[in-house]
Coordinates of all heavy atoms in Angstrom, one line a residue:
Y15 N 52.5 65.3 54.4 CA 51.0 65.3 54.1 C 50.7 65.7 52.7 O 51.1 66.8 52.2 CB 50.3 66.2 55.1 CG 48.7 66.0 55.0 CD1 48.2 64.9 55.5 CD2 48.1 66.9 54.2 CE1 46.8 64.8 55.4 CE2 46.7 66.8 54.1 CZ 46.1 65.8 54.6 OH 44.7 65.6 54.5
D16 N 50.3 64.8 52.0 CA 49.8 65.1 50.5 C 48.5 64.4 50.4 O 48.3 63.2 50.2 CB 50.9 64.4 49.6 CG 50.5 64.7 48.1 OD1 49.5 65.3 47.8 OD2 51.3 64.2 47.3
A17 N 47.5 65.4 50.4 CA 46.1 64.8 50.4 C 45.8 64.2 49.1 O 45.0 63.1 49.1 CB 45.1 66.1 50.6
K18 N 46.3 64.5 48.0 CA 45.9 64.0 46.7 C 46.6 62.6 46.7 O 45.9 61.6 46.3 CB 46.5 64.8 45.6 CG 46.2 64.3 44.2 CD 44.7 64.5 43.9 CE 44.4 64.1 42.5 NZ 43.0 63.9 42.2
A19 N 47.8 62.3 47.2 CA 48.4 61.0 47.2 C 47.6 60.1 48.2 O 47.3 58.9 47.9 CB 49.9 61.2 47.6
I20 N 47.1 60.6 49.4 CA 46.4 59.7 50.2 C 45.0 59.4 49.6 O 44.7 58.1 49.7 CB 46.2 60.5 51.6 CG1 47.5 60.7 52.3 CG2 45.1 59.8 52.4 CD1 47.5 61.7 53.4
E21 N 44.4 60.3 48.9 CA 43.1 60.0 48.3 C 43.4 58.9 47.2 O 42.6 57.9 47.0 CB 42.6 61.2 47.7 CG 41.3 61.1 46.8 CD 40.8 62.4 46.3 OE1 41.3 63.4 46.4 OE2 39.7 62.3 45.5
E22 N 44.4 59.0 46.4 CA 44.7 58.0 45.3 C 45.0 56.8 45.8 O 44.6 55.6 45.4 CB 45.8 58.6 44.5 CG 45.5 59.8 43.6 CD 46.7 60.4 42.9 OE1 47.8 59.8 43.0 OE2 46.4 61.3 42.2
Y23 N 45.8 56.7 47.0 CA 46.2 55.5 47.7 C 44.9 54.7 48.1 O 44.8 53.5 47.8 CB 47.0 55.7 48.8 CG 47.6 54.6 49.6 CD1 48.6 53.8 49.2 CD2 46.9 54.1 50.7 CE1 49.1 52.7 49.7 CE2 47.3 52.9 51.4 CZ 48.4 52.2 50.9 OH 48.8 51.1 51.6
Y24 N 44.0 55.3 48.8 CA 42.9 54.6 49.3 C 41.8 54.4 48.3 O 41.0 53.4 48.4 CB 42.3 55.4 50.6 CG 43.2 55.2 51.7 CD1 44.1 56.1 52.2 CD2 43.4 53.9 52.3 CE1 44.9 56.0 53.2 CE2 44.2 53.6 53.4 CZ 45.0 54.7 53.8 OH 45.9 54.5 54.9
D25 N 41.6 55.3 47.2 CA 40.7 55.0 46.2 C 41.1 53.7 45.4 O 40.2 53.1 44.8 CB 40.7 56.2 45.2 CG 39.9 57.4 45.7 OD1 39.0 57.1 46.6 OD2 39.9 58.4 45.0
A26 N 42.3 53.4 45.4 CA 42.8 52.2 44.7 C 42.6 50.9 45.5 O 42.9 49.8 45.1 CB 44.3 52.3 44.3
R27 N 42.2 51.1 46.8 CA 42.1 49.9 47.6 C 40.6 49.9 48.3 O 40.6 50.0 49.5 CB 43.1 50.0 48.7 CG 44.4 49.8 48.2 CD 45.5 50.3 49.1 NE 46.8 50.1 48.5 CZ 47.4 50.8 47.6 NH1 46.8 51.9 47.1 NH2 48.6 50.5 47.2
P28 N 39.6 49.8 47.5 CA 38.2 49.9 48.1 C 37.8 48.7 49.1 O 37.2 48.9 50.0 CB 37.2 49.9 46.9 CG 38.1 49.3 45.8 CD 39.5 49.7 46.1
L29 N 38.5 47.5 48.8 CA 38.2 46.4 49.6 C 38.7 46.5 51.0 O 38.2 46.3 52.1 CB 38.5 45.1 48.9 CG 37.7 44.7 47.8 CD1 38.3 43.4 47.1 CD2 36.3 44.6 48.1
Q30 N 40.0 47.1 51.0 CA 40.7 47.3 52.2 C 40.1 48.4 53.1 O 39.8 48.2 54.3 CB 42.2 47.6 52.0 CG 43.0 47.9 53.2 CD 44.4 48.4 52.8 OE1 44.8 48.7 51.7 NE2 45.3 48.5 53.8
V31 N 39.6 49.4 52.5 CA 38.9 50.4 53.1 C 37.6 50.0 53.7 O 37.2 50.2 54.8 CB 38.6 51.7 52.2 CG1 37.8 52.7 52.7 CG2 40.0 52.3 51.8
G32 N 36.8 49.2 52.9 CA 35.6 48.7 53.3 C 35.8 47.7 54.5 O 35.0 47.6 55.5
W33 N 36.8 47.0 54.5 CA 37.2 45.9 55.6 C 37.3 46.7 56.9 O 36.9 46.4 57.9 CB 38.3 45.1 55.2 CG 38.6 44.1 56.2 CD1 39.6 44.3 57.2 CD2 38.0 42.9 56.5 NE1 39.7 43.2 58.1 CE2 38.6 42.3 57.7 CE3 37.0 42.2 56.0 CZ2 38.3 41.1 58.2 CZ3 36.6 40.9 56.6 CH2 37.2 40.5 57.6
R34 N 38.2 47.8 56.7 CA 38.6 48.5 57.9 C 37.3 49.2 58.5 O 37.1 49.3 59.8 CB 39.7 49.6 57.7 CG 40.9 49.0 57.2 CD 41.6 48.4 58.4 NE 42.0 49.3 59.5 CZ 42.0 49.0 60.7 NH1 41.8 47.8 61.2 NH2 42.3 50.0 61.6
L35 N 36.5 49.8 57.7 CA 35.3 50.5 58.1 C 34.3 49.5 58.9 O 33.8 49.8 59.9 CB 34.6 51.2 57.0 CG 35.2 52.4 56.5 CD1 34.5 52.8 55.2 CD2 35.2 53.5 57.4
N36 N 34.1 48.3 58.3 CA 33.2 47.3 58.8 C 33.9 46.6 60.1 O 33.1 46.1 60.9 CB 33.0 46.2 57.8 CG 32.0 46.6 56.7 OD1 31.2 47.6 57.1 ND2 32.2 46.2 55.6
S37 N 35.3 46.6 60.2 CA 35.7 46.0 61.4 C 35.5 46.8 62.7 O 35.5 46.2 63.8 CB 37.3 45.9 61.3 OG 38.0 47.1 61.4
L38 N 35.1 48.1 62.5 CA 34.6 48.8 63.6 C 33.2 49.1 63.7 O 32.5 49.1 64.7 CB 35.5 50.1 63.9 CG 35.2 51.0 65.1 CD1 35.3 50.2 66.4 CD2 36.0 52.2 65.1
G39 N 32.7 49.5 62.4 CA 31.3 49.9 62.3 C 30.3 48.9 62.6 O 29.4 49.2 63.4
L40 N 30.6 47.6 62.2 CA 29.5 46.6 62.5 C 29.5 46.3 64.0 O 28.4 46.2 64.6 CB 29.7 45.3 61.6 CG 29.4 45.6 60.2 CD1 29.8 44.3 59.4 CD2 28.1 46.0 59.9
P41 N 30.6 46.0 64.7 CA 30.6 45.9 66.2 C 29.9 47.0 66.9 O 29.1 46.8 67.8 CB 32.0 45.7 66.5 CG 32.7 45.2 65.3 CD 31.9 45.9 64.1

Side-chain angles (χ1 to χ4, degrees):
Y15 185 80
D16 182 355
K18 185 70 173 161
I20 293 169
E21 179 182 357
E22 290 171 2
Y23 179 84
Y24 287 108
D25 279 349
R27 293 160 178 81
L29 293 178
Q30 182 182 8
V31 170
W33 179 263
R34 292 293 294 151
L35 288 172
N36 286 327
S37 71
L38 181 59
L40 292 178

